[in-house]
Amino acid sequence: MESPIRIVVGLGNPGEKYAATRHNVGFHWLDQLADTLHASFRVEAKFHGLCARATQDDTECWLLKPQTYMNASGLAVAAICRFYKIAPEQVLIVHDELDLEPGIVKLKSGGGAGGHNGLKSIIAQLSSQSFWRLRIGVGHPGNKHAVVDYVLHPPRKEEASHIEQAIDRSMRVWPLIAKGDLAAAMHQLHTRCDK
């Protein structure tokens, strides 16, 4: 059994203009989790974001949507981790993943940033790569020069449907993640994903 997750961070960019984009899938996931747990977000200036306190089976955790824009997400994550003395291993970052097709979702611990600016910022600010990541596939445009434009646009209709299914599937393993049974969560999620 791993350490229980004490904070879940959904990555995205603030503002209506970015709300439906591929890059904001982390915000979207966190909104769904907050709805499930009947948690409501409020502005927390000292954490540079929108925060909610949530409870799952007597386990309390924080939900955070950084409002710093993607490239500075680490400022918000580091601020709340320092304040509540949360170790990187107790952090789950939910983000869009270019290397996975829409409909695929993977859970993993550690690793590099893989070119994701939000992860780069978090690694730099925490001085650690050992946080958990829930990687929600959005696909790749096929050309590295098209990536920025691609992630800042909404997914096509059929992609959006696959992404929704992946989010729903990952929501089902949340109780396992919350209590720190991440190995079981990974097994269940990846077994379902790869069928």
Side-chain angles (χ1 to χ4, degrees):
M1 196 81 101
E2 310 279 343
S3 188
I5 294 297
R6 290 184 58 203
I7 180 166
V8 186
V9 182
L11 296 189
N13 285 309
E16 211 43 53
K17 157 181 177 186
Y18 298 107
T21 64
R22 294 178 177 95
H23 228 11
N24 273 40
V25 77
F27 276 11
H28 183 48
W29 191 93
L30 208 58
D31 284 337
Q32 278 197 225
L33 181 63
D35 283 348
T36 304
L37 300 177
H38 309 293
S40 44
F41 288 99
R42 64 177 189 272
V43 176
E44 283 287 359
K46 67 177 177 278
F47 302 143
H48 314 285
L50 300 173
C51 275
R53 187 184 292 192
T55 307
Q56 171 83 44
D57 301 329
D58 299 328
T59 305
E60 189 177 85
C61 79
W62 288 97
L63 312 181
L64 172 68
K65 295 196 289 184
Q67 299 294 291
T68 53
Y69 289 96
M70 187 65 83
N71 297 5
S73 300
L75 290 172
V77 179
I80 196 168
C81 286
R82 275 195 304 270
F83 190 85
Y84 289 112
K85 298 181 172 49
I86 298 171
E89 298 77 17
Q90 298 173 308
V91 175
L92 173 65
I93 306 293
V94 184
H95 66 90
D96 56 305
E97 178 57 71
L98 289 163
D99 293 337
L100 298 175
E101 289 302 309
I104 304 294
V105 57
K106 299 277 186 185
L107 179 65
K108 77 169 199 170
S109 171
H116 193 292
N117 288 333
L119 294 179
K120 267 186 212 164
S121 173
I122 293 164
I123 290 168
Q125 291 286 331
L126 293 182
S127 302
S128 173
Q129 298 184 349
S130 59
F131 50 85
W132 286 86
R133 301 106 190 273
L134 186 67
R135 304 157 64 220
I136 300 170
V138 295
H140 197 287
N143 176 344
K144 67 179 183 182
H145 302 296
V147 163
V148 172
D149 192 53
Y150 179 79
V151 295
L152 293 179
H153 276 84
R156 294 193 306 271
K157 195 173 175 184
E158 67 277 14
E159 292 171 342
S161 165
H162 290 314
I163 290 167
E164 274 310 319
Q165 288 165 15
I167 289 172
D168 290 344
R169 214 164 41 244
S170 58
M171 282 290 152
R172 286 181 220 139
V173 301
W174 165 251
L176 291 170
I177 293 170
K179 69 181 183 187
D181 201 348
L182 288 123
M186 259 192 284
H187 177 73
Q188 191 175 320
L189 192 59
H190 298 176
T191 304
R192 287 180 179 180
C193 261
D194 298 337
K195 279 181 182 169

